[in-house]
Amino acid sequence: QVQLVESGGGLVQAGGSLRLSCVGSGSIVSINAMGWYRQAPGKQRELVATIPSGGGTNYADSVKDRFTVSRDNAENTVYLQMNSLKPEDTAVYYCYANIRTRSSSFVAYNANYWGEGTLVTVSS
């Protein structure tokens, strides 16, 4: 089994910063893309930022120049540094990863995994 566990959410004032972390564990052969999505109350889940295994990053227009996604492949970890936070950034943030894992019969395959989410609340 594979698990993704997020940490680092909380309450912050507008203009402040938070850093989210997400660690993968379990039967991991390798990790392809990793990233972050968020879901605000009453809205659909949306992409925040992604980072492929080979480098490069992709950001939603709403967070460009404020958020930075990075990863530590040795630790199976992805980070999201969030600066200049705005009330509209309030949401549950979900870690995502496309992971190469193995079945109980040792057959390797790729699958998408999600963390359970961490709440970020930005007060005005």
Side-chain angles (χ1 to χ4, degrees):
Q1 283 189 341
V2 173
Q3 279 191 319
L4 297 175
V5 178
E6 303 106 333
S7 61
L11 174 64
V12 64
Q13 288 189 331
S17 298
L18 282 175
R19 189 190 195 209
L20 305 183
S21 301
C22 172
V23 181
S25 63
S27 182
I28 296 174
V29 175
S30 60
I31 300 181
N32 303 313
M34 301 186 83
W36 295 90
Y37 286 70
R38 68 186 181 186
Q39 187 166 17
K43 295 188 177 182
Q44 290 188 333
R45 190 174 298 189
E46 63 176 2
L47 179 147
V48 176
T50 58
I51 180 167
S53 58
T57 54
N58 180 45
Y59 295 95
D61 288 343
S62 60
V63 306
K64 279 180 182 176
D65 301 323
R66 299 189 297 122
F67 291 10
T68 301
V69 62
S70 60
R71 60 190 286 173
D72 183 335
N73 292 328
E75 299 294 332
N76 294 333
T77 301
V78 62
Y79 303 97
L80 185 67
Q81 178 66 45
M82 305 185 293
N83 298 328
S84 303
L85 282 160
K86 304 175 181 179
E88 51 263 44
D89 294 317
T90 295
V92 176
Y93 284 70
Y94 296 92
C95 173
Y96 157 83
N98 181 265
I99 295 175
R100 189 156 187 83
T101 183
R102 292 188 188 277
S103 69
S104 57
S105 56
F106 301 103
V107 175
Y109 60 96
N110 293 334
N112 295 326
Y113 293 90
W114 294 89
E116 292 196 352
T118 185
L119 177 63
V120 172
T121 303
V122 184
S123 63
S124 57

